[in-house]
Structures are given as structure tokens and as C-alpha cells.
Amino acid sequence: MRVAGLTRLAPIRRQVKRAERGANVTNIRGLQIRRLEPSNAALFRDIRLEGLQRNPEAFGSTFEKESALPLSWFEAVLGRTAIFGAFVEETLGGVAAYAAQEGTKQAHRATLWGMYVRDSARNLGLGKKLVAAVLDHARGRVEMVQLTVVSENESARRIYSAAGFVEYGYEKRGLKYEGRYYDQVLMVKFLDEG
């Protein structure tokens, strides 16, 4: 599946490569993190399906299931869920979602889910910015944010650890896709600990 607009990120990638690697990525021209709205449903659907297709082991859902859903389903998700998008020069390069737990005894917890950054937008710091957006949104709403990440996804685990998430569990064979098992690492960030 080829998604329109991905090549628009190439000049931005070159800009970052020429800059110091440790430099603050907020200086990337045209970088904007914002909450997606129902009117962004087509963009969200495209990037969500791309993530499910390119990295199926990283998600609990499947490309087959979500590609069959109508656009109105994605509009409804964006209407009820806080999903943040990283835009570079108006091209959606990555997403991350926030979901608060329901019920009196679990209302102090939320989940960071659906994190995906397009190949063409990687190594720009978008993942770090998306995690920060979810955590900023969570502050004042919940006390802790949890997530699950496939154990083999070292780059995502580094991003989460750098944001203050700590590992608290390990789920052997947490996911199974095409006959292969994937272990999952459970991580948490307590928002009252800085």
C-alpha cells in the first residue's frame, strides 16, 4: 500500500541529518503535534492501516479487520478518543492514542495505545513528541499511564523509558500472529513522580 505524501518528509529527514543528531527536534520546520478530529478520519485511517500492515506484530488488531471498517467507524473513534498526530509540513507522520480506564476503581489509570511512526518520519523525534503529548493530556486526568510493547521493539522501548516509563511485567506469548508468538513488556509511568 503506497500512501500519498510520504515523500514530502524526505527534505525534513535531510534537514535533521545535517543538523546535530542530539539537537532539539522542536526546531524542525513545520512540525506540529495536535489532537486529531473526526474530520481527520481519512488521514487516521490511512496511517492506522499502514501500521497494521507494516508492523502487524505491534498491534492487537489486524489489517484485515480494520480495513473492512467504514470511514465512519474511524470518525467515531476520533470523536470519542484522544488521538494525537505528528504533522511535518502538513503530512501526518505518526500517531499515538490515550484511553482512560472506565469504572470507579480504575478511573485513575489510562493507556497509551496505537503508537506508530511512518518509516519516512522515523529518527525525527516524532515518537518522543507523541508520547509527551499523551502524557501532557493525561496529567490532571489520571495518576498513571500504562502501555504494552512487543519485547523485540527496542526503539519503542527506548522512547518509552526515556519518557519515564518503567517495566513492571512481562507477558510471554502475549500476541500470536501467523503462527508466531510475541512477548509483551508491560510499562507504566506514574504521573505524580515527575
Side-chain angles (χ1 to χ4, degrees), residues 111-129:
T111 303
L112 186 158
W113 64 274
M115 174 86 159
Y116 176 72
V117 175
R118 289 186 157 135
D119 287 343
S120 59
R122 291 188 181 164
N123 300 314
L124 298 177
L126 300 188
K128 179 180 176 181
K129 294 287 184 192

Side-chain angles (χ1 to χ4, degrees), residues 16-90:
V16 170
K17 285 180 184 176
R18 282 193 298 264
E20 295 179 46
R21 269 296 172 191
N24 185 350
V25 294
T26 58
N27 295 331
I28 297 173
R29 231 175 332 144
L31 174 62
Q32 183 184 38
I33 306 294
R34 67 177 187 252
R35 186 170 173 175
L36 299 181
E37 299 174 359
S39 62
N40 300 124
L43 292 174
F44 175 58
R45 182 181 191 272
D46 285 347
I47 197 167
R48 175 75 176 163
L49 293 179
E50 179 185 319
L52 291 169
Q53 192 171 44
R54 291 185 183 218
N55 299 104
E57 75 286 350
F59 300 95
S61 189
T62 65
F63 174 82
E64 293 75 19
K65 176 185 174 186
E66 292 196 22
S67 65
L69 296 170
L71 187 60
S72 60
W73 185 86
F74 293 89
E75 290 171 347
V77 168
L78 291 174
R80 69 176 179 267
T81 307
I83 300 177
F84 297 89
F87 291 84
V88 180
E89 300 292 334
E90 294 302 314

Side-chain angles (χ1 to χ4, degrees), residues 108-150:
H108 65 291
R109 302 184 321 175
T111 303
L112 186 158
W113 64 274
M115 174 86 159
Y116 176 72
V117 175
R118 289 186 157 135
D119 287 343
S120 59
R122 291 188 181 164
N123 300 314
L124 298 177
L126 300 188
K128 179 180 176 181
K129 294 287 184 192
L130 286 165
V131 170
V134 169
L135 293 175
D136 287 346
H137 182 77
R139 283 186 181 84
R141 290 179 169 87
V142 295
E143 297 171 21
M144 59 196 277
V145 177
Q146 298 170 299
L147 62 85
T148 305
V149 60
V150 172

Side-chain angles (χ1 to χ4, degrees), residues 146-167:
Q146 298 170 299
L147 62 85
T148 305
V149 60
V150 172
S151 63
E152 297 170 11
N153 192 342
E154 292 293 334
S155 60
R157 289 173 69 182
R158 279 192 301 274
I159 289 169
Y160 299 139
S161 292
F165 283 86
V166 294
E167 297 180 10

